[in-house]
Amino acid sequence: RQLMGELAAKSLIKIAVVRSHNLCRGESCWPMGSKSEVEQTWENINSASETCLKDKKRRFAVGFSNGGYFLSKLLQQCIPHNLEKIVAIGSSGSINNTDKNNLSNCGKLIMLMGKKDQILNKGKSYYESLRKKSASVEFIEFNGGHEIPKIELSKMIPLPK
């Protein structure tokens, strides 16, 4: 949260940090077991961030670990969203539960993974699976582990026009 606040102040943008109130295996997580859960969770995130983010024209989303995997589900399930781009950090996943063969019109996903992240190979495999379905996805490695990279993330933040 502190890093996101610093980046917002430096970039002169507003950032809403939304936390999940759901627990999965004892930890905070985003419900995403089915397309309807992903749609409902996305609606909840949008509702929670509306008071802070009035400008719906230029938006992007950043998720870390489970949050990044959830955001990638928007692309994977081709769920309509108003995001210019989605940044998933330290995230991997599976595309076994998507019925879409072509994800080229479902949004843009940027995956950031630390070279020492314990799930780096799973992240690369997930990236390749998305590419095979023509998803607009980019994979960027950074020096680090399972963490949010300040320098790389600051390059992803769109500056006000």
Side-chain angles (χ1 to χ4, degrees), residues 29-42:
C29 67
W30 298 102
M32 59 180 139
S34 66
K35 183 174 182 178
S36 62
E37 275 190 333
V38 175
E39 289 170 330
Q40 183 60 54
T41 300
W42 181 238

Side-chain angles (χ1 to χ4, degrees), residues 9-59:
K10 192 177 201 178
S11 304
L12 302 174
I13 60 172
K14 291 184 179 182
I15 295 177
V17 179
V18 181
R19 291 188 173 240
S20 175
H21 299 291
N22 298 298
L23 292 178
C24 303
R25 294 173 289 214
E27 294 185 21
S28 179
C29 67
W30 298 102
M32 59 180 139
S34 66
K35 183 174 182 178
S36 62
E37 275 190 333
V38 175
E39 289 170 330
Q40 183 60 54
T41 300
W42 181 238
E43 187 177 309
N44 293 344
I45 290 170
N46 275 318
S47 294
S49 65
E50 268 183 14
T51 56
C52 175
L53 305 174
K54 306 274 188 229
D55 179 11
K56 297 197 181 352
K57 293 177 187 161
R58 299 193 72 234
R59 293 180 71 180

Side-chain angles (χ1 to χ4, degrees), residues 118-161:
Q118 66 268 24
I119 62 168
L120 176 62
N121 289 333
K122 289 181 182 178
K124 286 180 178 180
S125 177
Y126 183 51
Y127 163 76
E128 290 300 331
S129 297
L130 290 168
R131 286 196 38 95
K132 285 179 185 171
K133 292 195 176 260
S134 301
S136 176
V137 60
E138 183 178 351
F139 192 89
I140 300 170
E141 289 184 45
F142 62 90
N143 290 321
H146 194 68
E147 61 195 70
I148 299 173
K150 183 176 183 176
I151 293 170
E152 287 77 6
L153 183 58
S154 65
K155 293 175 186 174
M156 305 287 149
I157 295 176
L159 296 174
K161 291 182 178 177

Side-chain angles (χ1 to χ4, degrees), residues 86-132:
I86 298 168
V87 180
I89 305 169
S91 304
S92 65
S94 166
I95 63 168
N96 294 336
N97 61 350
T98 184
D99 60 353
K100 304 287 183 204
N101 289 319
N102 185 330
L103 300 173
S104 62
N105 293 317
C106 300
K108 179 176 174 65
L109 174 66
I110 300 169
M111 296 177 68
L112 294 175
M113 295 286 293
K115 292 177 181 177
K116 294 180 184 173
D117 195 320
Q118 66 268 24
I119 62 168
L120 176 62
N121 289 333
K122 289 181 182 178
K124 286 180 178 180
S125 177
Y126 183 51
Y127 163 76
E128 290 300 331
S129 297
L130 290 168
R131 286 196 38 95
K132 285 179 185 171

